[in-house]
Amino acid sequence: MDRKEFRDLASPDEAREAIGSLSLEGGVERVPLDDARGRVLVARLDAELDVPGFDRASLDGYALRAKDTFGADEADPARLTVTDEVHAGEEPAIEVGEGEAVEISTGAVMPTGADAMVPVERTDTEGDDVLVRTAVAPGDNVMFAGADVAAGERALGPGTRITPRDIGLLSALGIDEVPVRARPRVGIVSTGDELVRPGEPVDSDRGEIYDVNSYTIAAGVEDAGGEAVLYPHAGDDQDEMERLLREATEECDLVLSSGSTSASAVDVIYRVIEEQGKLLLHGVAVKPGKPMLVGRLDVSAPRSDGSEDEQRSSSGQSAYVGLPGYPVSAMMVFRTFVAPAIREAAGLPEPEAATVEGRMARQERYAEGRLRLMPVGVVTDGDGETLVYPVDKGSGATTSLAEADGVVEVDPGTDYLDEGESVTVHLFSPDVRPPTLLGVGEDDPTLNRLLDRLENPRYLAVGTRPGRRRLREGVPDVAVVAGPIDRHGAATAEAEHAGERATGTVELGRWDREWGLIVRPGNPAEIEGLADLIDRDLRFVNRTTDSGLRTSLGAAIADLADERGTTRHDLVDAIDGFDLGLRAHESPARNVAAGDADAGLGLRTTADRLDLGFVPIDDQPVRVLANPDRREKPGVRELARTLETDGYQQ
Amino acid sequence: MDRKEFRDLASPDEAREAIGSLSLEGGVERVPLDDARGRVLVARLDAELDVPGFDRASLDGYALRAKDTFGADEADPARLTVTDEVHAGEEPAIEVGEGEAVEISTGAVMPTGADAMVPVERTDTEGDDVLVRTAVAPGDNVMFAGADVAAGERALGPGTRITPRDIGLLSALGIDEVPVRARPRVGIVSTGDELVRPGEPVDSDRGEIYDVNSYTIAAGVEDAGGEAVLYPHAGDDQDEMERLLREATEECDLVLSSGSTSASAVDVIYRVIEEQGKLLLHGVAVKPGKPMLVGRLDVSAPRSDGSEDEQRSSSGQSAYVGLPGYPVSAMMVFRTFVAPAIREAAGLPEPEAATVEGRMARQERYAEGRLRLMPVGVVTDGDGETLVYPVDKGSGATTSLAEADGVVEVDPGTDYLDEGESVTVHLFSPDVRPPTLLGVGEDDPTLNRLLDRLENPRYLAVGTRPGRRRLREGVPDVAVVAGPIDRHGAATAEAEHAGERATGTVELGRWDREWGLIVRPGNPAEIEGLADLIDRDLRFVNRTTDSGLRTSLGAAIADLADERGTTRHDLVDAIDGFDLGLRAHESPARNVAAGDADAGLGLRTTADRLDLGFVPIDDQPVRVLANPDRREKPGVRELARTLETDGYQQ
């Protein structure tokens, strides 16, 4: 078998067919009525009794013979003798004869002899008599036995997805247990030496990362109506992995694994499929998602242990799908190929087409000859139109999907999508709500608190410089920028400021933040300022040039160079670690905390939060800039109000 | 307090306000990641680490110094010495020096010294050397630490409803437990002497009925994001009912009861509210739903039992809503007033407006000065337009909602809705799928089996005569009629047949069914035919005149009268029970089975199914008639195909 190269890629349709050829169904189970919501009936349920089971008074009043009221009205009531009373839950004691009436409660059994009832509001009592001030016809105000549901009537058909209303009908019929499709059991086997389950410690030096796919796919399985079974992580123990795969095959209708980068895991999977089933498909022409496997796993002879047997696949075989290892790829393949098959096996309909039409916010090139499943975010522009932008944090990113709203399917024949081109976004689920506000730019603790108070914001902490660029490109609503404006007259800052004026960018608010050097608790190295980094042998951790902090640091070093009559370049060269910029705003501080550096660039609030020491250098303004076309957008107005409330408005 | 009369009705807005003034929130709980799907975060989660936590190779290939590849291409590769290899999950053992490369797997840690990597496809090996056939820049094919998520970055905001994608992000951050809003605990207390929980035997003679509201409302509570707690049914024990109400108050954030027709239950509820809280609202101007109560119940002093304390309402008080007793009223009030409050407390957004515009299929009069919540069904007509028809099986019906798709809200000022008038239907939920086929008419076992094979049919077993009428009125797609056409020339049947021709009604298919007298097993009374009912002292149970069976019976008696030279009327008078018609097609048989009658009108299939005896009288045709405008509707075509498959097509 040709293992790691996928030369003859199957088409997406072939992949759907291969999965469709496998039986994922979990059989039938009986569930109590209070667990039946959302489950799918496997058989028709007919009424086994009449509802109501008796002729029933619809109101409080008097049961009587209708013909005794003929001609009665307000002025000339019929006088009847009240012989008894009957309440709900009681068996009537006597018959109603001519000229007689029985006081009756709503829901009570109509006594024999009575064929109608009169509501109490249309009567008066006089001693033991009742004066009936209206004429009624036989059947008036009575619900006859079976009028609601008749015995033998078809109540619910097979395939019904049980709603609260259906539970009402089943309750009325006295049914307390219903036969439903078992949820397909989907086993998730985690492979990969480098993966660690969330909650356990991760060793980055060894290249360990958290296992993203297991819980994510499990949640996707449950979303699709399956029952996810998470098998323990086998690590790099090949025998254990093989044992788990075989166990999952025995117990589940479908086994999923997500491709590992370790060859040993792939080998085990191939071996188990070869020995115990058949590989149907090997590589699909989609991007992302090429390395997808589809196979059939036959269940071995039944075990002697009866309790295990009950959990066995009902079909005598299990389906196997190997998902790609990268989380975004794994989820895309799962959503596109696996979830529909699980829904079908669970008897659930495909969700109503949750799609949004929009225009591409920028050109996107693509020419790989494979169907592309492109994760995208959407944002509403100033005219209320939907803009669509690709979300791609690079191959291997685990989190892109959390920043996306849906997927655009790009045909293999499409070379590029032009800016402004119309596309259809398939939302991840019908209840996806695109963000009310799209912001980009600097990461900042004050900003984070502000965002917490907004309805449904999305903020991409790309840094000040990319934030400015994206705002100019017209995608986000706002950009948050930090760095020098006036005091430190850096050329770039000036240029950017001029750019703001030229494009009509609006400043919605601003605040200052104190930045400086984050040092170890108690400042054991006795660092007093920037000069120490230059003049002493200290290890420093910087931020990337995307960060506004880095811009301010550059300006401060330029000032110091002026003071010293030297060049900025000379000073920078003297700082050990100046060129090693980290993207994350807390990472320099965490390096200091871990003892890997003496000082890191950061904010006082970060130092305080992480119980580290802080050597202040200066304040820098943080500014919230809005796209002028979006000022009236509700999410932008909400942000502006929040800024105003907190006194951050200019 | 004015108990059973609701003179000063609150407006719907006042009712919403009253419920809104109560705290239903259940506090905060921590749930493991694999239970977090669909839950709502209470606090912002920031990244506590970089993802990835190290500089990570994005592909399989060679880690190297970018500048060693400057100028390399296919023709003129750079030759580097391979000094080591590093796989995912391993700590690199050595640094990469000038002219050196380390073989590296996807996901592995970039060794110190290397600043880029080259994919294996662009290389060849020669002994210990690698020939690199492309130039790379620093950072190429490397995902830097924190590039995916940076430590300190805002990951998920408060109020996020956790999707599988968010579970991916949380997994990547190693978070295995999240703080979410507790689901509001909603206690459901069932009152009413006459109510029996499904699964238990019901005594119709005593007027007992199944408790529809408890499970239905529990399902509605779960749908809205609450946790339903069903308290045991107290029956008519006032002390027990009071004890349960107080227990529910202690344990839940909201207590619901549904109005009972028994005065004692109402008394208990009023007493508990008076002693332990405050009645805020008493009667609302909606139909159905007038008798609604809203109150506050204060929680008494904490109990000494710690385990009970944990379950106590977090707010020191519990909300109380008394729902009307009739199931349709209870569900309408629940949906309109209570479910939104539960969703709000659960932190879930209101479902996206799931509405359908349609035209009223017929005029609907209404002039009661209250907001009307009118349950309706929808059906697509031949032009693809949506017709809306009210579903109302009468006051006290338990099952109307199962036949409805949504609700039309009719303003208090509206006297009637005209046929053809545009209305907005609020679907019961966004995933309500209106039926593909709407049929009405006779109940029939063959039909039921046919319906089981259709996608999503709705069939209202109203009987042959109302079925014909509704088909003429233009609402349903098809009517199923049973009864004499040719052989027994009853005048009504002739007239109906002529009507079919006049309106262009299309017969899609037909079959015959054998009808006669259902008798006790073994036919102990030795009944041989209709004559026995007339000539002997036997108790008979008939069907209503809506039923096609009754029409055929009438025709058979008319034939017998002709034979005997007497009138149909004389023969009918001689049959004990002829005038007592039951609506349900199995009810006569069930009366016979219960020993309440000697013979009942019915089908052979019914007798066989219930193991009863059968005395055949004749066959009657069952015909499926279609509205001529709906012949091309997909659901009608699907039915026609199914009829054809089974050989029932004409």
Side-chain angles (χ1 to χ4, degrees):
Chain A
M1 235 179 310
D2 183 10
R3 303 231 158 144
K4 297 204 84 177
E5 315 242 335
F6 297 88
R7 286 182 215 277
D8 297 320
L9 296 180
S11 72
D13 282 345
E14 287 167 336
R16 280 193 195 92
E17 254 172 55
I19 294 179
S21 75
L22 300 164
S23 167
L24 270 52
E25 289 191 20
V28 175
E29 61 178 329
R30 299 188 67 84
V31 296
L33 195 57
D34 49 353
D35 287 340
R37 187 179 64 99
R39 303 303 295 271
V40 178
L41 270 188
V42 286
R44 184 178 76 229
L45 291 179
D46 293 337
E48 291 288 331
L49 43 79
D50 284 337
V51 180
F54 52 90
D55 297 342
R56 188 166 185 255
S58 297
L59 297 166
D60 290 342
Y62 293 88
L64 40 69
R65 294 172 176 239
K67 63 183 167 193
D68 286 348
T69 68
F70 288 171
D73 60 19
E74 279 295 328
D76 184 21
R79 176 183 294 266
L80 303 175
T81 308
V82 179
T83 57
D84 199 5
E85 55 184 319
V86 56
H87 296 290
E90 285 178 8
E91 183 164 1
I94 61 168
E95 290 197 16
V96 174
E98 206 169 313
E100 292 176 351
V102 162
E103 193 182 336
I104 194 165
S105 306
T106 308
V109 182
M110 288 288 288
T112 311
D115 61 3
M117 66 150 295
V118 175
V120 66
E121 292 83 3
R122 310 303 300 272
T123 64
D124 292 299
T125 48
E126 263 190 29
D128 287 344
D129 290 348
V130 59
L131 302 180
V132 177
R133 298 190 182 278
T134 185
V136 288
D140 276 5
N141 304 314
V142 177
M143 175 172 254
F144 288 107
D148 198 352
V149 193
E153 203 173 286
R154 184 178 193 271
L156 292 174
T160 302
R161 186 175 187 190
I162 299 171
T163 65
R165 297 171 290 130
D166 301 316
I167 286 175
L169 175 55
L170 294 167
S171 293
L173 296 172
I175 295 171
D176 66 340
E177 204 186 62
V178 288
V180 297
R181 282 214 203 183
R183 299 183 207 274
R185 279 173 73 88
V186 181
I188 296 161
V189 176
S190 162
T191 67
D193 306 356
E194 75 282 22
L195 298 182
V196 174
R197 284 274 160 95
E200 291 167 25
V202 73
D203 181 355
S204 291
D205 292 338
R206 286 191 55 214
E208 288 181 350
I209 55 169
Y210 282 112
D211 173 8
V212 171
N213 287 343
S214 292
Y215 286 124
T216 312
I217 292 167
V221 165
E222 304 264 344
D223 250 11
E227 181 194 345
V229 185
L230 217 59
Y231 287 87
H233 182 56
D236 57 356
D237 180 342
Q238 285 199 37
D239 291 342
E240 175 65 2
M241 201 184 307
E242 182 167 343
R243 197 189 65 71
L244 287 173
L245 263 178
R246 294 195 197 273
E247 185 179 314
T249 303
E250 295 283 323
E251 293 175 354
C252 297
D253 303 299
L254 168 64
V255 179
L256 297 176
S257 72
S258 60
S260 167
T261 52
S262 72
S264 60
V266 175
D267 284 344
V268 171
I269 289 167
Y270 274 88
R271 187 164 70 231
V272 170
I273 294 183
E274 270 170 19
E275 288 178 17
Q276 200 172 322
K278 186 168 164 35
L279 189 68
L280 302 179
L281 189 142
H282 179 217
V284 182
V286 294
K287 179 194 166 121
K290 189 169 69 167
M292 172 192 185
L293 305 181
V294 179
R296 199 190 65 234
L297 289 166
D298 297 318
V299 173
S300 60
R303 300 180 181 196
S304 53
D305 178 354
S307 66
E308 294 266 354
D309 273 2
E310 280 191 286
Q311 295 204 326
R312 289 186 57 242
S313 163
S314 56
S315 57
Q317 64 173 42
S318 182
Y320 170 79
V321 176
L323 302 170
Y326 279 145
V328 171
S329 309
M331 275 309 277
M332 292 307 234
V333 165
F334 177 82
R335 280 181 46 76
T336 307
F337 299 102
V338 183
I342 294 174
R343 275 195 293 270
E344 163 133 22
L348 299 180
E350 282 294 296
E352 287 287 311
T355 58
V356 168
E357 303 296 318
R359 290 184 295 108
M360 289 297 290
R362 54 174 187 259
Q363 197 191 64
E364 176 74 6
R365 297 199 159 273
Y366 172 69
E368 295 203 26
R370 286 188 274 153
L371 174 70
R372 181 171 176 201
L373 306 170
M374 179 172 71
V376 296
V378 300
V379 60
T380 310
D381 74 7
D383 301 326
E385 272 203 87
T386 300
L387 294 182
V388 178
Y389 58 93
V391 174
D392 189 357
K393 297 175 90 170
S395 194
T398 56
T399 59
S400 306
L401 292 188
E403 292 177 2
D405 298 304
V407 175
V408 170
E409 294 191 4
V410 188
D411 281 340
T414 303
D415 283 350
Y416 64 93
L417 295 168
D418 221 343
E419 183 181 329
E421 188 163 341
S422 277
V423 290
T424 300
V425 180
H426 300 267
L427 297 177
F428 285 122
S429 71
D431 56 0
V432 163
R433 277 147 218 246
T436 52
L437 177 83
L438 178 63
V440 297
E442 190 79 3
D443 201 322
D444 181 80
T446 302
L447 174 69
N448 287 347
R449 283 196 304 275
L450 290 168
L451 291 171
D452 287 351
R453 285 150 57 194
L454 304 185
E455 174 65 25
N456 178 26
R458 173 174 293 151
Y459 188 77
L460 310 176
V462 295
T464 287
R465 194 182 290 188
R468 281 187 187 278
R469 193 187 66 238
R470 294 197 192 185
L471 188 68
R472 275 198 306 273
E473 289 170 355
V475 181
D477 300 315
V478 298
V480 177
V481 302
I485 309 177
D486 325 297
R487 271 182 295 177
H488 311 281
T492 52
E494 273 306 309
E496 278 157 357
H497 211 199
E500 285 175 28
R501 285 190 298 269
T503 56
T505 301
V506 184
E507 185 177 304
L508 294 182
R510 70 156 77 184
W511 57 91
D512 282 326
R513 61 182 190 179
E514 192 176 10
W515 64 276
L517 302 178
I518 296 179
V519 296
R520 291 181 203 167
N523 194 4
E526 298 182 354
I527 297 168
E528 290 176 10
L530 273 182
D532 289 314
L533 298 185
I534 296 160
D535 303 331
R536 294 169 51 193
D537 185 18
L538 295 169
R539 187 157 167 74
F540 175 65
V541 185
N542 207 345
R543 295 286 307 282
T544 63
T545 54
D546 286 344
S547 162
L549 281 182
R550 169 76 172 253
T551 313
S552 284
L553 176 66
I557 290 174
D559 286 352
L560 192 60
D562 286 350
E563 271 175 39
R564 294 194 179 186
T566 178
T567 66
R568 182 181 169 286
H569 189 262
D570 282 343
L571 297 192
V572 158
D573 266 357
I575 300 178
D576 177 16
F578 188 89
D579 287 332
L580 179 69
L582 299 184
R583 193 178 94 72
H585 90 264
E586 281 191 7
S587 291
R590 286 173 187 272
N591 269 267
V592 171
D596 294 339
D598 301 298
L601 180 61
L603 301 177
R604 179 185 284 280
T605 48
T606 304
D608 290 350
R609 207 174 78 73
L610 298 175
D611 291 325
L612 293 165
F614 183 72
V615 181
I617 296 180
D618 203 350
D619 284 355
Q620 71 172 185
V622 180
R623 302 160 63 224
V624 181
L625 307 177
N627 179 328
D629 297 338
R630 309 275 174 88
R631 288 184 70 179
E632 297 307 314
K633 187 173 157 171
V636 176
R637 293 166 63 114
E638 192 190 2
L639 173 62
R641 270 194 304 276
T642 308
L643 287 163
E644 189 181 9
T645 306
D646 285 16
Y648 296 145
Q649 207 165 46
Q650 238 185 343
Chain B
M1 236 180 310
D2 182 13
R3 304 227 157 147
K4 298 205 82 179
E5 315 243 332
F6 297 88
R7 284 182 218 275
D8 297 319
L9 297 179
S11 72
D13 282 346
E14 287 167 337
R16 281 192 193 91
E17 256 171 53
I19 294 179
S21 75
L22 299 165
S23 166
L24 269 54
E25 287 190 19
V28 176
E29 61 179 329
R30 297 188 69 84
V31 296
L33 195 57
D34 48 354
D35 288 339
R37 185 179 65 98
R39 303 302 296 269
V40 177
L41 270 188
V42 286
R44 184 178 77 227
L45 291 179
D46 292 337
E48 292 287 331
L49 43 79
D50 283 339
V51 180
F54 52 93
D55 298 343
R56 189 166 184 257
S58 298
L59 297 165
D60 289 343
Y62 294 88
L64 40 70
R65 295 172 177 239
K67 62 183 170 197
D68 285 348
T69 68
F70 288 169
D73 59 20
E74 279 297 328
D76 185 19
R79 177 182 292 265
L80 303 176
T81 308
V82 179
T83 56
D84 198 5
E85 54 184 320
V86 57
H87 296 290
E90 285 177 9
E91 183 162 2
I94 60 167
E95 289 197 18
V96 175
E98 207 170 313
E100 292 177 349
V102 162
E103 194 183 338
I104 193 164
S105 307
T106 307
V109 181
M110 289 288 289
T112 311
D115 61 3
M117 66 150 294
V118 175
V120 67
E121 293 81 2
R122 311 304 298 274
T123 64
D124 292 300
T125 48
E126 262 189 31
D128 288 342
D129 290 348
V130 59
L131 302 180
V132 177
R133 300 194 180 275
T134 185
V136 288
D140 275 4
N141 305 314
V142 177
M143 175 171 254
F144 287 106
D148 198 352
V149 192
E153 203 174 287
R154 185 179 191 271
L156 292 173
T160 301
R161 187 176 185 188
I162 298 169
T163 66
R165 296 172 290 129
D166 300 317
I167 286 175
L169 176 53
L170 293 167
S171 293
L173 296 173
I175 296 172
D176 66 339
E177 203 185 63
V178 287
V180 297
R181 282 215 203 183
R183 297 184 209 274
R185 278 173 73 88
V186 182
I188 295 161
V189 176
S190 161
T191 68
D193 307 354
E194 75 282 19
L195 298 182
V196 174
R197 284 273 160 93
E200 292 169 23
V202 74
D203 181 355
S204 291
D205 293 337
R206 287 191 54 214
E208 288 181 351
I209 55 170
Y210 283 112
D211 172 8
V212 171
N213 286 344
S214 292
Y215 286 124
T216 312
I217 293 168
V221 164
E222 304 265 345
D223 251 10
E227 181 194 346
V229 185
L230 216 59
Y231 287 87
H233 182 55
D236 57 357
D237 181 342
Q238 287 201 32
D239 291 343
E240 176 66 2
M241 201 185 306
E242 182 169 342
R243 197 188 65 71
L244 287 173
L245 264 177
R246 294 193 197 276
E247 187 179 313
T249 303
E250 296 283 324
E251 294 175 356
C252 298
D253 301 300
L254 168 65
V255 178
L256 298 175
S257 71
S258 61
S260 167
T261 52
S262 72
S264 61
V266 175
D267 284 344
V268 170
I269 289 166
Y270 274 87
R271 189 165 67 232
V272 170
I273 296 181
E274 269 169 21
E275 288 177 17
Q276 200 174 321
K278 189 167 160 37
L279 188 68
L280 301 179
L281 188 142
H282 179 216
V284 182
V286 295
K287 178 193 168 122
K290 189 169 69 168
M292 172 193 184
L293 306 180
V294 179
R296 199 190 66 234
L297 289 166
D298 297 318
V299 173
S300 60
R303 302 183 180 195
S304 52
D305 177 355
S307 66
E308 294 264 351
D309 272 4
E310 280 192 290
Q311 295 203 328
R312 289 185 56 242
S313 162
S314 56
S315 56
Q317 64 173 43
S318 181
Y320 169 80
V321 176
L323 302 170
Y326 279 145
V328 172
S329 310
M331 275 311 277
M332 292 306 236
V333 165
F334 176 82
R335 282 180 45 77
T336 308
F337 300 103
V338 183
I342 294 173
R343 275 194 292 270
E344 162 131 28
L348 300 180
E350 281 296 297
E352 286 288 309
T355 59
V356 168
E357 304 293 318
R359 290 184 297 107
M360 287 296 291
R362 54 174 187 257
Q363 197 192 64
E364 176 74 5
R365 298 199 159 272
Y366 172 67
E368 294 201 28
R370 288 188 273 153
L371 173 71
R372 182 171 175 197
L373 306 170
M374 180 172 72
V376 297
V378 300
V379 60
T380 310
D381 74 8
D383 301 326
E385 272 202 86
T386 299
L387 294 182
V388 179
Y389 58 94
V391 175
D392 188 357
K393 298 176 89 172
S395 193
T398 55
T399 59
S400 307
L401 293 188
E403 293 177 0
D405 298 304
V407 175
V408 170
E409 296 192 2
V410 188
D411 280 338
T414 303
D415 283 349
Y416 64 91
L417 295 168
D418 222 343
E419 184 182 329
E421 189 164 339
S422 277
V423 289
T424 300
V425 180
H426 301 266
L427 297 177
F428 285 122
S429 71
D431 56 1
V432 164
R433 277 148 216 245
T436 53
L437 177 81
L438 178 62
V440 296
E442 191 78 4
D443 202 324
D444 180 81
T446 302
L447 174 68
N448 286 348
R449 282 196 303 276
L450 291 168
L451 291 172
D452 287 351
R453 284 150 57 194
L454 304 185
E455 174 68 23
N456 178 26
R458 174 174 293 152
Y459 189 75
L460 310 176
V462 295
T464 287
R465 195 181 291 186
R468 280 187 187 280
R469 194 187 63 239
R470 295 197 191 185
L471 188 66
R472 276 197 306 272
E473 290 170 355
V475 180
D477 300 316
V478 297
V480 177
V481 301
I485 308 177
D486 322 301
R487 270 181 294 174
H488 311 281
T492 51
E494 274 305 310
E496 279 158 355
H497 210 199
E500 286 176 24
R501 287 189 299 269
T503 55
T505 302
V506 185
E507 184 178 305
L508 295 182
R510 69 157 75 185
W511 58 90
D512 282 325
R513 63 183 188 177
E514 192 176 10
W515 64 276
L517 302 178
I518 294 179
V519 297
R520 291 180 204 167
N523 195 4
E526 299 183 352
I527 297 168
E528 291 178 8
L530 272 184
D532 288 314
L533 297 185
I534 295 161
D535 304 330
R536 291 167 56 189
D537 185 17
L538 295 169
R539 190 162 163 72
F540 174 66
V541 186
N542 208 347
R543 296 286 306 282
T544 62
T545 53
D546 286 344
S547 162
L549 280 183
R550 170 76 172 255
T551 313
S552 284
L553 177 66
I557 290 175
D559 287 351
L560 192 60
D562 285 350
E563 272 176 38
R564 293 194 178 188
T566 179
T567 65
R568 181 181 172 286
H569 189 261
D570 282 343
L571 296 190
V572 159
D573 267 358
I575 300 177
D576 177 17
F578 188 88
D579 286 333
L580 180 71
L582 299 184
R583 194 178 96 71
H585 91 263
E586 281 192 5
S587 291
R590 286 172 188 271
N591 269 263
V592 170
D596 294 339
D598 301 298
L601 180 61
L603 301 177
R604 180 185 285 280
T605 47
T606 305
D608 290 350
R609 206 173 79 75
L610 298 174
D611 292 325
L612 291 166
F614 183 72
V615 180
I617 296 180
D618 204 350
D619 284 356
Q620 70 171 186
V622 180
R623 303 160 63 222
V624 182
L625 307 178
N627 179 328
D629 297 338
R630 310 274 173 88
R631 288 184 71 176
E632 297 307 313
K633 187 173 154 170
V636 175
R637 292 165 63 112
E638 191 190 3
L639 174 61
R641 270 195 304 275
T642 308
L643 287 163
E644 188 180 10
T645 306
D646 286 16
Y648 295 144
Q649 208 166 44
Q650 236 185 342

